[in-house]
CSV table of all heavy atoms in Angstrom, one decimal:
chain,number,residue,atom,x,y,z
A,206,THR,N,-146.3,8.8,25.4
A,206,THR,CA,-144.9,8.8,25.3
A,206,THR,C,-144.4,10.0,24.3
A,206,THR,O,-145.4,10.7,23.8
A,206,THR,CB,-144.4,7.5,24.7
A,206,THR,OG1,-145.3,7.1,23.6
A,206,THR,CG2,-144.3,6.4,25.7
A,207,LEU,N,-143.2,10.2,24.3
A,207,LEU,CA,-142.8,11.5,23.8
A,207,LEU,C,-143.1,11.8,22.3
A,207,LEU,O,-143.7,13.0,22.0
A,207,LEU,CB,-141.1,11.5,23.9
A,207,LEU,CG,-140.4,12.8,23.3
A,207,LEU,CD1,-141.1,14.0,23.7
A,207,LEU,CD2,-139.0,12.8,23.6
A,208,THR,N,-143.1,10.7,21.4
A,208,THR,CA,-143.4,11.0,19.9
A,208,THR,C,-144.9,11.5,19.9
A,208,THR,O,-145.1,12.3,19.2
A,208,THR,CB,-143.1,9.8,19.1
A,208,THR,OG1,-141.7,9.4,19.4
A,208,THR,CG2,-143.3,10.1,17.7
A,209,PHE,N,-145.7,10.8,20.8
A,209,PHE,CA,-147.1,11.2,20.7
A,209,PHE,C,-147.4,12.6,21.1
A,209,PHE,O,-148.2,13.4,20.6
A,209,PHE,CB,-148.0,10.3,21.6
A,209,PHE,CG,-148.4,9.0,21.0
A,209,PHE,CD1,-147.5,7.9,21.3
A,209,PHE,CD2,-149.3,8.7,20.1
A,209,PHE,CE1,-147.7,6.6,20.7
A,209,PHE,CE2,-149.6,7.5,19.6
A,209,PHE,CZ,-148.8,6.5,19.8
A,211,LEU,N,-145.2,15.1,21.0
A,211,LEU,CA,-144.7,16.0,20.0
A,211,LEU,C,-145.8,16.1,18.9
A,211,LEU,O,-146.0,17.3,18.4
A,211,LEU,CB,-143.4,15.5,19.3
A,211,LEU,CG,-142.1,15.4,20.2
A,211,LEU,CD1,-140.9,14.8,19.7
A,211,LEU,CD2,-141.7,16.9,20.6
A,234,ASN,N,-131.8,15.8,13.9
A,234,ASN,CA,-132.7,15.6,15.1
A,234,ASN,C,-132.9,14.1,15.2
A,234,ASN,O,-132.6,13.3,14.3
A,234,ASN,CB,-134.1,16.3,14.7
A,234,ASN,CG,-134.8,16.6,16.0
A,234,ASN,OD1,-134.6,16.1,17.1
A,234,ASN,ND2,-135.7,17.6,16.1
A,235,PHE,N,-133.5,13.7,16.2
A,235,PHE,CA,-133.8,12.2,16.6
A,235,PHE,C,-134.8,11.8,15.5
A,235,PHE,O,-135.8,12.5,15.2
A,235,PHE,CB,-134.4,12.1,18.0
A,235,PHE,CG,-134.4,10.6,18.4
A,235,PHE,CD1,-133.4,10.0,18.8
A,235,PHE,CD2,-135.7,10.0,18.5
A,235,PHE,CE1,-133.4,8.7,19.3
A,235,PHE,CE2,-135.7,8.7,18.8
A,235,PHE,CZ,-134.6,8.1,19.3
A,237,SER,N,-137.3,9.9,15.3
A,237,SER,CA,-138.7,9.9,15.6
A,237,SER,C,-139.3,11.2,15.5
A,237,SER,O,-140.5,11.3,15.1
A,237,SER,CB,-138.9,9.2,17.0
A,237,SER,OG,-140.2,8.8,17.2
A,238,ASP,N,-138.6,12.2,15.9
A,238,ASP,CA,-138.9,13.6,15.8
A,238,ASP,C,-139.2,14.0,14.3
A,238,ASP,O,-140.1,14.7,13.9
A,238,ASP,CB,-137.9,14.6,16.4
A,238,ASP,CG,-137.8,14.3,17.9
A,238,ASP,OD1,-137.7,13.2,18.2
A,238,ASP,OD2,-137.7,15.3,18.7
A,277,THR,N,-134.3,19.6,19.2
A,277,THR,CA,-134.0,18.9,20.5
A,277,THR,C,-132.9,19.6,21.2
A,277,THR,O,-131.8,19.9,20.5
A,277,THR,CB,-133.6,17.5,20.0
A,277,THR,OG1,-134.8,16.9,19.5
A,277,THR,CG2,-133.2,16.6,21.4
A,279,VAL,N,-130.7,19.0,23.6
A,279,VAL,CA,-129.3,18.3,23.8
A,279,VAL,C,-129.3,17.1,22.7
A,279,VAL,O,-130.3,16.3,22.7
A,279,VAL,CB,-129.1,17.7,25.1
A,279,VAL,CG1,-127.9,16.9,25.2
A,279,VAL,CG2,-129.0,18.8,26.1
A,281,PHE,N,-128.9,14.0,20.7
A,281,PHE,CA,-128.8,12.6,21.3
A,281,PHE,C,-127.5,11.9,21.0
A,281,PHE,O,-127.1,11.1,21.6
A,281,PHE,CB,-130.0,11.8,20.8
A,281,PHE,CG,-129.9,11.3,19.4
A,281,PHE,CD1,-129.6,10.0,19.1
A,281,PHE,CD2,-130.2,12.1,18.3
A,281,PHE,CE1,-129.5,9.5,17.9
A,281,PHE,CE2,-130.1,11.6,17.1
A,281,PHE,CZ,-129.7,10.3,16.8
A,306,ASP,N,-137.7,19.7,22.2
A,306,ASP,CA,-137.6,18.3,22.8
A,306,ASP,C,-136.6,18.3,23.8
A,306,ASP,O,-135.5,18.6,23.5
A,306,ASP,CB,-137.4,17.4,21.6
A,306,ASP,CG,-137.2,16.0,22.0
A,306,ASP,OD1,-136.8,15.7,23.2
A,306,ASP,OD2,-137.2,15.1,21.1
A,308,ALA,N,-135.8,15.6,25.6
A,308,ALA,CA,-135.4,14.2,26.0
A,308,ALA,C,-134.2,14.1,26.8
A,308,ALA,O,-134.0,13.3,27.8
A,308,ALA,CB,-135.5,13.3,24.7
A,309,HIS,N,-133.0,14.7,26.3
A,309,HIS,CA,-131.8,14.5,27.0
A,309,HIS,C,-131.5,15.7,27.8
A,309,HIS,O,-130.3,15.9,28.1
A,309,HIS,CB,-130.8,14.3,25.8
A,309,HIS,CG,-130.9,13.1,25.0
A,309,HIS,ND1,-130.3,12.0,25.3
A,309,HIS,CD2,-131.8,12.7,24.0
A,309,HIS,CE1,-130.7,10.9,24.5
A,309,HIS,NE2,-131.8,11.4,23.7
A,329,CYS,N,-139.1,12.9,27.7
A,329,CYS,CA,-139.4,11.6,28.2
A,329,CYS,C,-139.1,11.4,29.6
A,329,CYS,O,-138.4,12.2,30.2
A,329,CYS,CB,-138.9,10.5,27.3
A,329,CYS,SG,-137.0,10.6,27.1
A,331,TYR,N,-137.9,8.3,30.9
A,331,TYR,CA,-137.2,7.1,31.2
A,331,TYR,C,-135.7,7.4,31.2
A,331,TYR,O,-134.9,6.4,31.4
A,331,TYR,CB,-137.5,6.0,30.2
A,331,TYR,CG,-137.8,6.4,28.8
A,331,TYR,CD1,-136.7,6.6,28.0
A,331,TYR,CD2,-138.9,6.6,28.3
A,331,TYR,CE1,-136.7,7.0,26.6
A,331,TYR,CE2,-139.2,7.0,26.9
A,331,TYR,CZ,-138.0,7.2,26.1
A,331,TYR,OH,-138.2,7.5,24.8
A,332,LYS,N,-135.3,8.6,30.8
A,332,LYS,CA,-133.7,8.8,30.7
A,332,LYS,C,-133.2,9.3,32.1
A,332,LYS,O,-133.2,8.6,33.1
A,332,LYS,CB,-133.4,9.7,29.6
A,332,LYS,CG,-133.9,9.2,28.3
A,332,LYS,CD,-133.5,10.1,27.2
A,332,LYS,CE,-134.0,9.8,25.9
A,332,LYS,NZ,-133.5,8.4,25.2
A,342,ALA,N,-144.3,10.3,29.3
A,342,ALA,CA,-143.6,11.4,28.9
A,342,ALA,C,-144.2,12.7,29.4
A,342,ALA,O,-145.3,12.4,30.2
A,342,ALA,CB,-143.4,11.6,27.3
B,787,LIG,C1,-134.5,13.2,21.3
B,787,LIG,C2,-135.5,12.1,21.4
B,787,LIG,N1,-136.7,12.4,20.9
B,787,LIG,C3,-137.8,11.5,21.0
B,787,LIG,C4,-137.5,10.2,21.4
B,787,LIG,C5,-138.7,9.2,21.2
B,787,LIG,O1,-139.3,9.0,22.5
B,787,LIG,P1,-140.4,7.9,22.7
B,787,LIG,O2,-139.9,6.6,22.4
B,787,LIG,O3,-141.0,8.2,24.0
B,787,LIG,O4,-141.6,8.3,21.7
B,787,LIG,C6,-136.2,9.8,21.9
B,787,LIG,C7,-136.0,8.6,22.4
B,787,LIG,O5,-134.9,8.2,22.9
B,787,LIG,C8,-135.2,10.8,21.8
B,787,LIG,O6,-134.0,10.6,22.3
Side-chain angles (χ1 to χ4, degrees):
T206 42
L207 178 49
T208 308
F209 282 94
L211 291 173
N234 211 336
F235 193 75
S237 202
D238 297 40
T277 296
V279 173
F281 77 102
D306 176 338
H309 295 267
C329 54
Y331 43 77
K332 299 182 190 292

